[in-house]
Amino acid sequence: MGEFIAIMFPSAGEAISKLSKSFPNIDQVKNLFKQLDFDNDGFITKAEMGESSHRFSPQEIDSIFALGDINDDGAIDLEEFIGVMYPSASTVVNRLRAKYHNMNEVKRAFAGIDKNGDGLISKEEMYQCDTFNSQEIEALFTLGDSNNDGEIDLEEFIGVLYPVVAQALLKFTKDIHNVEDARFLFKQLDKDSDGLLSQEELRKCGTTFSSKEIEALFAVGDINSDGEIDLNEFINVMCPGATTVISRISAGFNGVQDIKKCFEEMDTNCDGKISRCEMAQYSHLNEQEVNAVFELGDADRDGEIDLQEFIGVMTTSSPVAYKEAGEVVTVGDMEIYKVGEGVKCIIWCHDLAGFSGADRTRQLVDKLAALGYLILIPNFFGDKDCGSLADTQWVKSVSDWSTIRDTWVERIYPWLRDHLGVRCVGVVGTGWGAYAACRLASYIYICIYI
């Protein structure tokens, strides 16, 4: 098809040839696609290309869409884009895909090639298996070796020969910018809070993922083949670059003592924490490696890594357990979870799960506080246990407005105004907390911004 269009539309061939020279490897092509896909929907349009900072000429845009937009829907996905930039490799791989009808066949083919069982296949291993000819091997590595390390792992292999994987992972990861986002999404998907995701949970969680896409996620992520994905496996899928880099770094340590020694050498000011600057200056890590360590290891997002975080990331290639960023303070006889700083305050009225944050309330609040707000969660239930909406007597007991009002007017608001210097207050209510939020909103002097 590409050769035929190049004959019938020669200017397109010239334009693509010029573009290909500017982006000589597959990794650069993939990065270009992400830059052009402004709305992160997995497709690029002519409008997006025209608005990009790369300054494509109208002829170049028309050429790419003439060659890539096969179904003429006005949009090009990643696979089509790669097909335009690497037409010969794409043609060969498309021919290979016809040999594999499902995910299991692709995984069996990978296992057959990976003779040393290290989870990676090299060109030498491919030549020895007599399954692919030299042209096919070159095409597989051109399209599959996305990190240009000379080897292809299972994720890369499946992504080339079973492209629904690449499409699924693009949908899964489009809003994942760092490990904290991946951890947050995992907890949202883990409805039964057992620390594991099953295919059935993903089907029932209200996502738009198809059965094939869910199957693709599990084919890549379920490393121990137990039928479920834990947090570490999930992060490996959502942030593969960071975990790959950490695995490479941690291979240089012989044990925890080596890790501690390395930490002490980097901690030049001996404050028990290392900053990005310290790590870059007093280690052999490059910028990519430093970023990966902080992306995975800085669990509390304070911009520094303590010894526990450093050991955690180096021994597991995954983040240590989530730690709350705020503190519990007492105002009068009421406990309040306080996080963040600023003159703009948000009162978060908790739901039936209560003040303790058992349902990720505090994690949500910590995330919001990072945007520059002071967030407070008053313990509206006091010493009462959490309950259920089905228990009407319990609901009545915790919904006594006169008690809540007195606590607010006499204790919390004066403390905000006089002690914390708050100038404007907004309220947020979730579940039962919507009741308290609406009541608090009746005070004009309180809710300047809601």
Side-chain angles (χ1 to χ4, degrees):
M1 175 68 77
E3 292 169 332
F4 185 76
I5 292 178
I7 293 172
M8 306 303 292
F9 187 14
S11 59
E14 294 171 4
I16 296 301
S17 177
K18 175 184 172 184
L19 278 175
S20 298
K21 291 178 181 177
S22 301
F23 305 95
N25 64 58
I26 193 67
D27 202 31
Q28 290 178 335
V29 172
K30 289 182 177 180
N31 286 334
L32 174 62
F33 183 88
K34 289 181 180 180
Q35 293 171 14
L36 296 176
D37 184 18
F38 292 128
D39 56 7
N40 290 320
D41 65 348
F43 297 91
I44 55 176
T45 62
K46 287 186 176 182
E48 285 176 318
M49 287 198 73
E51 294 171 1
S52 77
S53 60
H54 289 279
R55 300 183 183 277
F56 294 107
S57 68
Q59 181 193 17
E60 290 172 334
I61 295 174
D62 288 341
S63 299
I64 288 175
F65 275 80
L67 292 171
D69 189 11
I70 304 300
N71 57 6
D72 201 28
D73 63 350
I76 293 178
D77 62 23
L78 178 58
E79 185 182 357
E80 291 172 328
F81 192 67
I82 292 174
V84 172
M85 305 299 281
Y86 283 91
S88 58
S90 183
T91 301
V92 172
V93 169
N94 280 330
R95 188 171 67 240
L96 282 175
R97 288 171 183 162
K99 298 180 180 180
Y100 304 100
H101 302 98
N102 56 56
M103 183 74 69
N104 289 330
E105 291 183 5
V106 177
K107 293 176 74 173
R108 280 196 296 269
F110 182 89
I113 300 168
D114 184 21
K115 297 299 184 183
N116 60 6
D118 65 348
L120 298 167
I121 54 179
S122 63
K123 288 186 178 181
E124 289 72 19
E125 285 177 313
M126 279 195 155
Y127 279 114
Q128 291 172 7
C129 74
D130 292 329
T131 302
F132 308 103
N133 60 38
S134 58
Q135 182 191 40
E136 292 169 338
I137 292 172
E138 290 301 321
L140 283 170
F141 271 81
T142 297
L143 297 181
D145 186 14
S146 56
N147 58 4
N148 298 312
D149 64 352
E151 294 181 303
I152 293 179
D153 60 24
L154 178 60
E155 181 179 342
E156 292 170 330
F157 190 75
I158 293 175
V160 174
L161 294 180
Y162 204 72
V164 68
V165 171
Q167 298 164 9
L169 294 183
L170 189 63
K171 286 179 67 175
F172 271 106
T173 60
K174 69 177 183 178
D175 295 321
I176 304 298
H177 305 295
N178 51 52
V179 174
E180 185 180 0
D181 289 343
R183 189 191 303 119
F184 186 74
L185 175 60
F186 181 88
K187 291 191 175 182
Q188 286 184 309
L189 297 175
D190 184 18
K191 297 300 182 182
D192 57 8
S193 301
D194 65 347
L196 297 168
L197 292 180
S198 65
Q199 293 194 34
E200 191 63 23
E201 272 183 305
L202 289 182
R203 291 190 184 97
K204 291 182 177 179
C205 70
T207 61
T208 58
F209 303 116
S210 67
S211 295
K212 280 191 174 183
E213 290 168 338
I214 293 173
E215 178 191 347
L217 174 67
F218 274 76
V220 174
D222 187 14
I223 297 171
N224 58 8
S225 300
D226 65 350
E228 295 179 305
I229 292 179
D230 62 25
L231 178 58
N232 291 347
E233 291 173 327
F234 190 74
I235 290 174
N236 281 332
V237 174
M238 296 297 162
C239 306
T243 53
T244 300
V245 170
I246 294 299
S247 296
R248 185 174 69 240
I249 298 170
S250 59
F253 296 117
N254 294 321
V256 175
Q257 290 304 318
D258 278 359
I259 297 173
K260 287 183 177 179
K261 183 179 178 182
C262 178
F263 181 89
E264 291 169 358
E265 290 175 355
M266 288 188 285
D267 183 19
T268 53
N269 59 5
C270 299
D271 65 347
K273 293 187 175 183
I274 49 178
S275 64
R276 287 177 185 267
C277 183
E278 286 177 316
M279 188 173 287
Q281 290 180 358
Y282 299 96
S283 71
H284 301 294
L285 306 182
N286 58 36
E287 183 179 0
Q288 179 199 32
E289 292 168 334
V290 171
N291 289 338
V293 172
F294 271 81
E295 188 176 352
L296 284 171
D298 186 13
D300 56 9
R301 293 293 182 239
D302 64 349
E304 295 182 306
I305 291 181
D306 59 29
L307 179 59
Q308 180 188 0
E309 290 172 329
F310 191 66
I311 293 175
V313 73
M314 287 302 165
T315 54
T316 65
S317 294
S318 63
V320 296
Y322 168 75
K323 293 194 298 186
E324 293 174 359
E327 61 179 339
V328 176
V329 298
T330 303
V331 179
D333 59 354
M334 174 173 274
E335 290 182 312
I336 298 177
Y337 179 75
K338 172 179 173 289
V339 61
E341 301 290 341
V343 296
K344 295 181 178 180
C345 174
I346 296 176
I347 304 298
W348 187 292
C349 303
H350 60 72
D351 57 18
L352 292 176
F355 163 76
S356 66
D359 61 347
R360 302 192 302 278
T361 294
R362 292 187 183 180
Q363 186 174 351
L364 287 167
V365 165
D366 289 349
K367 200 174 180 69
L368 186 58
L371 300 177
Y373 296 100
L374 169 65
I375 316 289
L376 303 176
I377 311 176
N379 184 4
F380 290 111
F381 292 170
D383 56 2
K384 295 184 177 69
D385 294 330
C386 299
S388 167
L389 284 176
D391 185 348
T392 56
Q393 292 303 315
W394 177 85
V395 173
K396 288 180 181 179
S397 71
V398 298
S399 304
D400 180 5
W401 171 242
S402 61
T403 301
I404 298 174
R405 177 194 175 281
D406 290 346
T407 301
W408 173 262
V409 173
E410 296 175 8
R411 296 188 185 92
I412 300 177
Y413 183 68
W415 178 66
L416 289 178
R417 180 191 60 207
D418 303 332
H419 182 72
L420 298 182
V422 169
R423 297 176 59 186
C424 56
V425 180
V427 290
V428 171
T430 59
W432 174 89
Y435 161 77
C438 288
R439 284 287 198 169
L440 292 177
S442 65
Y443 289 85
I444 301 300
Y445 66 91
I446 294 174
C447 298
I448 298 175
Y449 298 107
I450 299 179

